[in-house]
Structure formats: C-alpha cells, structure tokens
Amino acid sequence: MKKICTVFVLLMILLGSHAFAEDGYRLWQRYEQVQDASKLQAYRKAAGEIIIQGNSPTLKVAQQELEMGLNGLLGQAVPTTQQPTQQNILVAGTPSTSALIKELNLSDKLKAAGDEGYLLLTTTKNGRNYTVIAANTDIGVLYGSFHLLRLLQTEQDIAKLSLTSTPKIKHRVLNHWDNLDRTVERGYSGFSLWNWHLLPDYIDQRYIDYARANASIGINGTVLTNVNANALVLTPDYLKKVAALADAFRPYGLKVYLTARFSAPIEIGGLKTADPLDPQVQAWWKQKSDEIYGYVPDFGGFLVKANSEGQPGPQNYGRNHADGANMLADAVAAHGGIVMWRAFVYDDKEPDDRAKQAYNEFKPLDGQFRDNVLVQVKNGPIDFQPREPFHPMFGAMPKTPLMMEFQITQEYLGQGTTLAYLSPMYKETLESDTYAKGKGSTVAKDIDGTLYKHTLTGIAGVANIGTDRNWTGHQFGQANWYTFGRLAWDHTLSSEEIAEEWLRMTFTNNSQFIAPVKSMMLGSHETIVNYMTPLGLHHIMGWSHHYGPGPWIKDKHRADWTSVYYHRADEKGIGFDRTKTGSNAVSQYFPPVAKQFANLKTVPEKYLLWFHHVDWDYKVNSGRTLWNELCYRYSSGVDGVRQMQQTWDKVQGQVDEERFQHVKTFLAIQEKEAKWWRDACLLYFQTFSKRPIPQDLEKPAHTLEHYMSLDPKFVPGI
Ligand code: GCV
C-alpha cells in the first residue's frame, strides 16, 4: 500500500510540474528549491518549524505563504506548531497575539516598525535559536514573511538577521484602467481580471494570486475601475461584486478604491445637476458613500479624473477642482476614506502650452483642499512619454499632499511587446531636484511627505495586469509591476538591486544569467528613448492607438493631440521653445531649475528639444550637429535592441525554454518596431533638415510614403 501511495504521489508531482509549466503565471513567487547546497542546508537548519500564534485571516495567509514558500524552497515539508518543539524555530507574529513574540521583548525595536513595518532578526532564548518576523500589526507580519521568503529566494545569508523595514509612502496603489465590459484602456495583456459576470459568487484563484503578489511587494490599494469612469459601478448590483473582491483582498492588506464619475448624481441618481456646491448633490454623494461603506467597511475612497479629455467635472458648473474634491472628501471623511484627485488636466481651447496647464489650474488652489485629499500628479507635465522632465507641480504646492502617478502599462513604450525596464525612468523622476526648499528638495521628498511634513502620502501606478496567463503580456512586464511596488515601499532602492531581486526570483540565481540580463534591463529604457524620442522629443506616436511612430500627425480636431504641436520641426530646426521666447514653461520650475532648463548650454541634453527649438546645425555635446546626433541616436536605439537580442540568445539553456522563446520572439518584434521608428522619424524629419543621413549608418528600408501609409489595425487597449 505504501508503495502504491509513493508512486501516486510521484505521479502527481510529475503531472503537477507539467500543469505548472514555466508560463510566467507564478511571477516572482515560484519558490523553487534552493540550488546552492550550503545555503539550502543553512535554511533547512534555521527553519526547523514554523510558529505563528494568532489566527486572524492575515496571519493565516502569512502562515500559508510561509508553508508554501518554505516547502518549495527547502524541498521538504516544514511543520507548523503552536509551541516550540525544536531547536531552530521560525516565529512570526505580533506581541499582542503571540506569547512567544512577547517573550522575546522586542517592544523597543518594534517602535520603529510602525503600522505596516516589521523586524527580521535572529536571536536565542532558553537555548533555542529563533529566526523572528515581528510586527505591531498582522499585515506587518505578512509583509515581513514575504521579505524573509525573498531572502531565501535570492539566496541571501539569514544567519544574523537584524533589520527593520517600514514603507516610506502610506498609500501604495495600483490604478486599473479597467472598464466594466472587461476591456482595459491602454491594456496590452488581455482583458480585465475582474470578471463582473461571475462576481460576487465566483472568486477566481487569480484574485487571490493577484493579492498575494501585491502584498509581497507592499502594494496596499487597488483602484478597480478606469479613470474614464462609468457610474454603474456605484450601483448596488456592482457594489456587491466590489464587496466580494474587497473580501478576497482584505487578508492581504489590499484596500479597494473606485473611480467616481463626477456626473453620477445625474446618471444614476436622478438629479438634474452634479454641481459640487449644490446641497442635494452633496447629500447624494454622502448617502452614496455611506452605502458603499455598507458593502465595503474599509473602502479606501475615490479616484477622480475631472474636466480632462471630456470627463465631467466641477468646471462644468463654474466651480474649481478644490470644490469638486472637497465635496467627495466630505462624503468619505467620516469613514476614514480619501480622495485622489488627478491633476492630469488640459484643454485644447486653452491657448497656453499644454505642459503648463495643470500647474496653472492647481497651483492657485494650494491650501484649499480638505485634509483627506491627495492631488495625483503624473510624473511629467505631458503624458507618460518615454522621457519627460519632472512635473513642475512637484515642490510647488507646500500645503497640498501630492501623490505620484506613474504608468506601468507601456502605452508610449512599445505597449505589450517591448522589453522596457522602467525603474530607471521612475527613479529619474523621484530623484529630480525641485529646489523648492533649496538643494536636495527631491520629488521623492515631496511625495513621501518629508519635504513639507505631510502625513498623508501616496503613489499610484497604472497597472499593466490582465488576463494573459503571465499577467503582463511581456514576461519582463512583470518586472515593472514588481519595481513599482518595491519603489513605493522604499524609493531609495536602486534600479539595479530591484532588477537583481526580480531576476533571481523570477528566473534563476545563476550569476551567468543575472549579470548580462540585469545589464540588458538597466539599459533598456534608454535604448527605447533613443529609437522613439531622443533628445527630449515627445508625443510623436501614432494617432489615437499610440502605437508606432507618427511624427507627421497634424490637422486633427485637437491640436494638442497632434505631433507637430510638440516637435515643431521646420527648416531651421526642431523642438518646442519653452523658454521666455516661447511658452515660458520653464518659469514654472523653481529658479535654479528654470535657469538650468532655459539655457541651451546647461539644459540636460536628454531634455534639449523639450525646452528648446534648436538649429539643425547646432553642435551638441558629442561635437556632432543636431541633425547628425538625431541620426546617431535613432540608430543606436536599433543597435541597442540588437544587443539585447544577442544577450538574450546567449542565455538560452540557463532558463526554461518556454519563457526563453517567448522573450526571444518579442525581442524580434521589438527590433522590427525599432527600425520602423528610426526609419519613419528620420525620413520625416529629413524633409525639414534637408541633410543626409550619415554614410556609416544603416539606410531606411522604405520610403517615407510607405511609413505614412501604414495604418495598424486592431491595436489593443484603445
Ligand atoms: C485613461 C492618456 C491616455 C488615455 C488616458 C489618459 C489619462 O491620454 O491616452 O487613455 O485615459 O491619459 O491618464 O487619463
């Protein structure tokens, strides 16, 4: 009998491993057995048994995760007990629920851990050795458990642990641009995860795995619906479904938020107006919020896009953004909710430079927002371009907590098939110095609250997650979800550290794989900037779907959605003059920055054409003329992709064939698209520069007419 059982178990393992082929579903949570023999031995020794005293839903999932993780990583079952029976113990808990943690007398150390942080340490008591995960709250225990697992996954030494980790930002939130019909605006990885049809009765395992993944990187909020909002989600039929998702996410510390359509009082409330100063409208939102909290007692609050790109808002009634935000803030305040009010506003009826409009509208409102309002600002002043200078609102609103909005989905960065590791781009913004209070007033300090002493702080990432089996379409898209969470927790981490962690957990700890692939990831963003929008060019992509190059886009119903509005190429030169002689957008920055950006000699070259209209023969840093530099940059972008292909080809055999081939195929698509960008842009800009493409560079494959005639169909995510 015993023999039959063993054969059965072996069969199940074999079948199981086949069913869980390396298709990317397991993200960075693969928990494969540790390969380094001495590390494996040390980990097995340290985790003789797991003790978690207390049984809240969050502690339960911490226990499950530790069991699943350790069983996989150690290749053997680790028993869970309630009292110590062994010499070496892994203990996790809070002093209030775990007598064992209490006995370890950690209260002094725990003071530094706050509400969500944790301690990891190694200690001894009564002759036993403890590896300790301690926190003040259950969610801290869960976060600490994931940290410990990460140390094992990345094969770190855990013999003498002594660390405290706390998040630097309070609200770390994903923004899903998911529609109720399950399409995803700017989504390139299938459809929306939220199966509204089967909710609330069917809880897909995906929801749990999504929550696990988020908790593992400290993400603590998710906005389920598109900012181009549909009021229906606020009706009881949908609120039941929202409640079911909130229930599934709650153990993982993931709060649910919804987007509020400003005209909802009219559309679903039967009112004649949505004027935020109208008492009936205010009462409607108050009652609606109470109703939502009836379904979801820990509902996070609202995210709002108002008076932008056709969305309704307070300005429809002659009111301002503070009036709108405050009305909603008052409606959720009693329940502890917040409002994230977006500053992504611009209007083509407004003659001023689009890059200036958000600052112009919001800066005068500083100090007028309620205490539970965050103003959510995109990283740059236009719209998630491959590269933008930091948004001038950062540092400029001392009395208002500003929340960062990054885009994780790659709307302008090659969409689903491009390998772009975005940490360097996020860090570039976070580390930019606003000079708001002198040198060192970085954007990061504004959003983590240390610059102006705000306690309400937040960061949002527009999600790249969908129903694709590997979640993000591109296997490397997972790295951007991961890096967003890790930076939201601690923006001082380096892009390199994060890439290395992710690679080790997602693929292998083999250094022959890590070193070249990490360097490929670190260079990938710059490579894309080079073949799409070098030297500060921006917004020159295809019309509407934003796929591929379209520098020739002009004469559309909105000038500020065309490309010529931004690149301003003419016979003399190219670029948007945002100095005093042009739109003077530079004046929105603090004087040292404004001065640097305004001067052709001191502006960082990466922003040259963002701020200046520059002569074709202007000599850039390399000594080349601007035209020749553009040609070299575009070409080096294509070369960069080819190098990425070579790097990837060399690691064949070091990772599973399934994901290897997937990435390889996507890199081939990327190379094709890089050439398309280079050739289309150079041929088009050449019609103005009237200068030859340098002899030593690869010639365009087709004519400009050919590229202009391309009309890609069925581009996802529109
Ligand atoms: C959700 C860009 C995108 C839109 C998006 C908008 C926004 O304009 O193209 O799809 O709408 O940004 O951030 O609101």
Side-chain angles (χ1 to χ4, degrees):
M1 185 61 188
K2 199 169 166 205
K3 209 166 171 189
I4 295 175
C5 279
T6 315
V7 171
F8 179 74
V9 168
L10 277 174
L11 197 71
M12 289 314 289
I13 289 172
L14 278 175
L15 283 174
S17 64
H18 180 69
F20 292 102
E22 291 283 17
D23 53 16
Y25 182 83
R26 292 184 296 163
L27 296 162
W28 49 89
Q29 301 180 296
R30 292 165 59 253
Y31 302 139
E32 291 289 302
Q33 185 173 326
V34 172
Q35 292 301 301
D36 181 307
S38 66
K39 291 268 163 50
L40 180 62
Q41 204 187 3
Y43 299 156
R44 281 180 172 166
K45 187 166 171 236
E49 63 189 356
I50 305 169
I51 300 186
I52 297 196
Q53 296 162 330
N55 57 6
S56 72
T58 299
L59 289 177
K60 281 227 171 68
V61 297
Q63 180 178 330
Q64 278 164 16
E65 198 71 33
L66 283 172
E67 284 170 355
M68 175 165 62
L70 292 175
N71 291 352
L73 287 159
L74 307 190
Q76 63 183 30
V78 181
T80 301
T81 58
Q82 277 303 299
Q83 297 300 331
T85 65
Q86 299 201 20
Q87 178 68 23
N88 301 301
I89 296 163
L90 172 61
V91 57
T94 69
S96 55
T97 53
S98 167
L100 198 50
I101 293 286
K102 200 165 177 199
E103 280 166 28
L104 293 174
N105 281 329
L106 301 170
S107 45
D108 275 354
K109 288 199 173 117
L110 275 172
K111 278 193 192 119
D115 286 349
E116 291 185 291
Y118 51 84
L119 315 176
L120 295 187
L121 53 100
T122 320
T123 189
T124 55
K125 187 165 173 78
N126 300 337
R128 295 188 206 268
N129 306 318
Y130 289 96
T131 302
V132 184
I133 304 167
N136 296 311
T137 58
D138 294 350
I139 191 63
V141 175
L142 181 64
Y143 289 150
S145 303
F146 279 116
H147 190 145
L148 186 83
L149 288 169
R150 183 166 71 237
L151 294 178
L152 269 60
Q153 288 174 280
T154 55
E155 299 191 348
Q156 308 301 306
D157 192 352
I158 62 160
K160 290 190 191 115
L161 288 177
S162 173
L163 67 88
T164 309
S165 183
T166 54
K168 292 200 177 348
I169 296 174
K170 193 167 172 178
H171 297 286
R172 306 174 297 278
V173 181
L174 285 179
N175 287 185
H176 286 266
W177 286 356
D178 292 18
N179 299 313
L180 298 184
D181 65 2
R182 297 193 73 183
T183 55
V184 180
E185 182 155 347
R186 312 307 178 184
Y188 311 101
S189 50
F191 289 88
S192 168
L193 286 184
W194 326 133
N195 191 333
W196 298 109
H197 182 57
L198 295 184
L199 283 165
D201 298 320
Y202 177 66
I203 299 299
D204 194 321
Q205 178 61 30
R206 276 219 155 197
Y207 304 150
I208 311 295
D209 290 333
Y210 164 84
R212 283 179 53 232
N214 281 321
S216 77
I217 47 178
I219 289 174
N220 64 1
T222 178
V223 184
L224 299 177
T225 45
N226 192 353
V227 288
N228 290 332
N230 186 333
L232 278 183
V233 78
L234 304 176
T235 59
D237 281 350
Y238 277 95
L239 289 176
K240 277 181 212 143
K241 298 166 194 279
V242 169
L245 287 174
D247 291 344
F249 299 160
R250 190 166 297 111
Y252 296 90
L254 192 63
K255 267 193 186 181
V256 158
Y257 299 76
L258 293 173
T259 44
R261 181 155 165 91
F262 205 78
S263 48
I266 304 172
E267 288 158 16
I268 57 167
L271 299 189
K272 293 220 158 31
T273 175
D275 181 349
L277 298 193
D278 182 308
Q280 270 192 306
V281 174
Q282 293 171 348
W284 187 86
W285 278 109
K286 175 87 184 51
Q287 186 277 325
K288 181 51 72 183
S289 301
D290 293 347
E291 186 187 346
I292 297 174
Y293 280 94
Y295 287 97
V296 184
D298 55 354
F299 177 63
F302 295 120
L303 168 65
V304 189
K305 171 175 177 177
N307 294 120
S308 166
E309 301 186 330
Q311 292 299 305
Q315 292 173 347
N316 298 28
Y317 307 95
R319 316 298 182 192
N320 64 33
H321 288 286
D323 296 327
N326 291 344
M327 172 193 59
L328 291 171
D330 290 343
V332 295
H335 302 280
I338 59 167
V339 169
M340 298 169 285
W341 190 270
R342 294 176 91 224
F344 178 67
V345 296
Y346 65 103
D347 191 341
D348 71 322
K349 308 270 178 323
E350 165 61 53
D352 208 351
D353 178 0
R354 171 174 165 185
K356 293 171 68 183
Q357 293 178 28
Y359 178 103
N360 288 345
E361 278 191 48
F362 278 84
K363 168 94 177 132
L365 301 177
D366 192 23
Q368 294 184 32
F369 292 95
R370 296 279 190 272
D371 288 348
N372 57 337
V373 175
L374 283 146
V375 172
Q376 183 167 310
V377 185
K378 288 189 181 181
N379 56 297
I382 297 291
D383 184 12
F384 299 140
Q385 292 303 293
R387 167 167 279 133
E388 299 200 22
F390 71 89
H391 201 300
M393 280 176 69
F394 291 117
M397 295 190 53
K399 297 184 193 136
T400 311
L402 299 188
M403 179 168 179
M404 172 64 75
E405 179 174 323
F406 284 130
Q407 196 177 44
I408 311 174
T409 191
Q410 293 171 223
E411 175 180 358
Y412 299 103
L413 281 153
Q415 305 189 348
T417 48
T418 291
L419 195 162
Y421 174 51
L422 298 183
S423 184
M425 184 179 82
Y426 299 156
K427 295 274 299 181
E428 188 169 300
T429 306
L430 291 166
E431 288 171 359
S432 294
D433 199 339
T434 68
Y435 280 84
K437 288 171 75 182
K439 195 169 165 42
S441 309
T442 60
V443 171
K445 286 189 184 161
D446 194 4
I447 63 156
D448 73 12
T450 53
L451 188 64
Y452 292 122
K453 310 232 173 326
H454 291 300
T455 49
L456 180 63
T457 55
I459 182 165
V462 180
N464 61 346
I465 304 160
T467 51
D468 275 6
R469 180 71 192 157
N470 69 11
W471 302 87
T472 54
H474 202 302
Q475 302 285 354
F476 277 74
Q478 299 177 359
N480 295 328
W481 178 7
Y482 184 81
T483 205
F484 169 74
R486 297 289 286 132
L487 287 175
W489 184 275
D490 181 0
H491 56 71
T492 67
L493 291 170
S494 72
S495 300
E496 193 170 352
E497 282 172 89
I498 299 172
E500 173 141 357
E501 276 177 8
W502 179 79
L503 282 170
R504 284 176 178 269
M505 295 190 286
T506 306
F507 288 104
T508 168
N509 279 290
N510 178 351
S511 58
Q512 284 178 350
F513 173 83
I514 305 287
V517 178
K518 185 170 68 177
S519 120
M520 170 180 90
M521 285 172 77
L522 289 169
S524 60
H525 171 248
E526 203 62 48
T527 291
I528 294 156
V529 169
N530 279 332
Y531 70 71
M532 287 186 178
T533 53
L535 299 170
L537 284 173
H538 51 288
H539 207 292
I540 54 171
M541 65 287 158
W543 175 252
S544 177
H545 48 59
H546 297 169
Y547 171 63
W552 45 80
I553 304 287
K554 59 176 182 177
D555 300 334
K556 297 286 187 185
H557 66 281
R558 282 188 69 140
D560 55 2
W561 284 354
T562 65
S563 302
V564 296
Y565 176 98
Y566 298 95
H567 65 66
R568 304 196 171 205
D570 56 25
E571 296 204 345
K572 215 167 158 296
I574 182 170
F576 197 135
D577 182 2
R578 292 192 163 110
T579 68
K580 255 202 271 183
T581 50
S583 79
N584 205 17
V586 288
S587 66
Q588 293 183 334
Y589 292 94
F590 284 86
V593 184
K595 205 167 146 215
Q596 188 201 19
F597 288 171
N599 184 339
L600 197 53
K601 295 274 170 267
T602 56
V603 65
E605 207 160 69
K606 58 189 174 186
Y607 306 137
L608 181 65
L609 305 179
W610 188 283
F611 290 111
H612 297 270
H613 189 78
V614 184
D615 288 357
W616 292 115
D617 290 326
Y618 177 77
K619 287 268 170 26
V620 301
N621 292 341
S622 64
R624 296 188 186 108
T625 64
L626 173 65
W627 168 250
N628 282 350
E629 183 70 13
L630 264 188
C631 295
Y632 278 99
R633 293 274 179 137
Y634 271 108
S635 299
S636 78
V638 176
D639 295 343
V641 180
R642 290 175 179 154
Q643 272 160 26
M644 287 162 74
Q645 289 182 290
Q646 283 170 19
T647 302
W648 190 250
D649 283 347
K650 285 200 192 112
V651 298
Q652 184 163 21
Q654 290 174 29
V655 292
D656 53 285
E657 195 59 13
E658 186 171 353
R659 286 183 299 168
F660 174 81
Q661 288 299 342
H662 197 264
V663 173
K664 184 178 164 74
T665 314
F666 277 21
L667 279 170
I669 298 173
Q670 187 171 346
E671 197 248 356
K672 209 163 64 181
E673 292 181 355
K675 281 191 294 188
W676 177 24
W677 270 92
R678 177 197 65 189
D679 294 353
C681 290
L682 286 182
L683 286 171
Y684 170 76
F685 291 133
Q686 194 178 33
T687 64
F688 299 96
S689 79
K690 310 224 180 327
R691 285 152 175 81
I693 295 173
Q695 279 299 330
D696 53 331
L697 298 180
E698 200 173 282
K699 298 285 161 292
H702 303 279
T703 61
L704 177 60
E705 290 65 39
H706 166 82
Y707 293 112
M708 287 178 69
S709 71
L710 297 178
D711 184 16
K713 294 277 187 286
F714 312 117
V715 179
I718 300 170

